[in-house]
């Protein structure tokens, strides 16, 4: 047994906060109906209510892809730190 205490990585990191914001933003935007429940301004004849929601489909896709890429990067970094940290015992 070793007397060296195990160093654990923090659960909440800045990258995980960014991931959370990327995933929560579309929910907040769509649940706040009062912000887009109107017809003006129209875009190529489509009322604001509809094109705003369709725009968020695209934005949500980009944010989800970004969150996934950041998550993969975070997991790779944690895995490499745990394997390199374990080899130093």
């Amino acid at each position: 047994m070793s007397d060296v205490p195990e160093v654990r990585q923090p659960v909440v990191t800045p990258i995980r906060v960014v991931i959370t914001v990327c995933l929560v933003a579309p929910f907040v935007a769509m649940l706040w109906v009062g912000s887009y429940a109107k017809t003006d301004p129209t875009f190529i004849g489509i009322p604001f209510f509809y094109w705003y929601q369709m725009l968020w489909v695209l934005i949500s896709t980009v944010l989800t892809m970004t969150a996934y890429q950041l998550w993969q990067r975070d997991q790779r970094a944690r895995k490499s730190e745990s394997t390199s940290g374990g080899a130093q015992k």
Side-chain angles (χ1 to χ4, degrees), residues 2-3 9 23 27 29 36 42 44-45 52 59 66-67 72 83 87:
S2 175
D3 290 337
Q9 299 170 343
L23 295 176
F27 287 104
Y36 63 92
T42 59
I44 59 171
Y52 178 82
I59 294 170
T66 302
Q72 292 297 325
T83 57

Side-chain angles (χ1 to χ4, degrees), residues 1-86:
M1 292 253 181
S2 175
D3 290 337
V4 178
E6 182 180 332
V7 177
R8 299 186 71 189
Q9 299 170 343
V11 176
V12 178
T13 60
I15 196 164
R16 288 186 174 195
V17 172
V18 172
I19 291 168
T20 302
V21 170
C22 285
L23 295 176
V24 170
F27 287 104
V28 173
M30 290 293 93
L31 290 175
W32 185 19
V33 178
S35 70
Y36 63 92
K38 53 189 173 185
T39 57
D40 289 327
T42 59
F43 177 69
I44 59 171
I46 302 170
F48 180 74
F49 180 80
Y50 295 112
W51 68 259
Y52 178 82
Q53 291 180 56
M54 290 301 107
L55 180 63
W56 269 102
V57 169
L58 299 174
I59 294 170
S60 297
T61 302
V62 170
L63 289 175
T64 303
M65 289 177 9
T66 302
Y68 177 75
Q69 294 297 323
L70 290 172
W71 179 257
Q72 292 297 325
R73 183 187 307 170
D74 183 55
Q75 293 304 301
R76 282 192 303 270
R78 285 177 174 271
K79 188 174 182 179
S80 69
E81 285 178 12
S82 68
T83 57
S84 66

